[in-house]
Amino acid sequence: MKNILRNLKKIIRCGFALKCPRCCQGSLFQKRFKMFANCTECELKFEREQGYFIGPMYINYGATVFLVFPGYFALDLFNSIPFLVNFSLWGVVSAVFPIFFYRYSKSLWLNMDYILNPNT
Ligand SMILES: [Zn+2]
C-alpha cells in the first residue's frame, strides 16, 4: 500500500496516458479495445496470467459507482427534475461510462499491479 501511495503520481500519469507501467513510453492499446500483448518499447508482458484483467472490472465498477451515486443524489438535491428523468439519466450514464472507462481501468490496474509486483 505504501508503494502505491509513493508512486501514485506515476500510476496516474502513465495510467491515464494508457502507457506501459515500466517505461511509460509504449502504448498499451493498438486499437480502441485491443491491447498489445507486450510493450513495444521494453517488451513487458501485459497480461501476466490467465484472468489477469478481472481486476480492471472492479476499478471500472468502483469508478462508475463513484460517479453515478453522487451524481444522482446531487441532481436530486439541487434540481427539481422528476425522479424518472434523473433515474434514467444516471441509468444511461452507468451503461455508457464503463465502456468509455474500460481502457483506463485496464491501464490503471496494470500500473498499480506493476508497482506492487515489478518482477513477476
Ligand atoms: Zn514498456
Side-chain angles (χ1 to χ4, degrees):
M1 192 66 183
K2 269 186 175 179
N3 270 351
I4 286 183
L5 294 176
R6 197 176 323 124
N7 293 298
L8 191 61
K9 198 172 165 183
K10 182 181 186 272
I11 291 171
I12 289 172
R13 182 170 42 90
C14 296
F16 280 105
L18 304 174
K19 298 292 183 186
C20 166
R22 184 193 287 162
C23 65
C24 210
Q25 299 290 317
S27 292
L28 295 178
F29 289 88
Q30 53 183 307
K31 291 181 181 174
R32 180 98 182 119
F33 295 110
K34 185 168 172 54
M35 283 186 83
F36 287 109
N38 295 49
C39 177
T40 53
E41 303 292 323
C42 70
E43 294 296 319
L44 175 71
K45 186 178 179 188
F46 290 144
E47 186 165 355
R48 294 176 172 198
E49 60 193 17
Q50 190 77 20
Y52 179 70
F53 286 118
I54 289 182
M57 290 168 58
Y58 293 111
I59 292 177
N60 212 345
Y61 174 75
T64 303
V65 168
F66 189 76
L67 174 76
V68 168
F69 275 99
Y72 171 84
F73 288 111
L75 263 186
D76 192 44
L77 205 64
F78 299 114
N79 263 317
S80 59
I81 59 174
F83 163 78
L84 210 56
V85 173
N86 195 8
F87 190 79
S88 301
L89 172 76
W90 291 105
V92 169
V93 170
S94 67
V96 172
F97 180 77
I99 297 168
F100 161 76
F101 200 68
Y102 169 80
R103 292 167 14 127
Y104 298 100
S105 64
K106 269 189 151 178
S107 181
L108 289 169
W109 171 259
L110 199 58
N111 275 278
M112 274 192 303
D113 189 51
Y114 183 75
I115 296 297
L116 289 173
N117 304 310
N119 297 324
T120 55

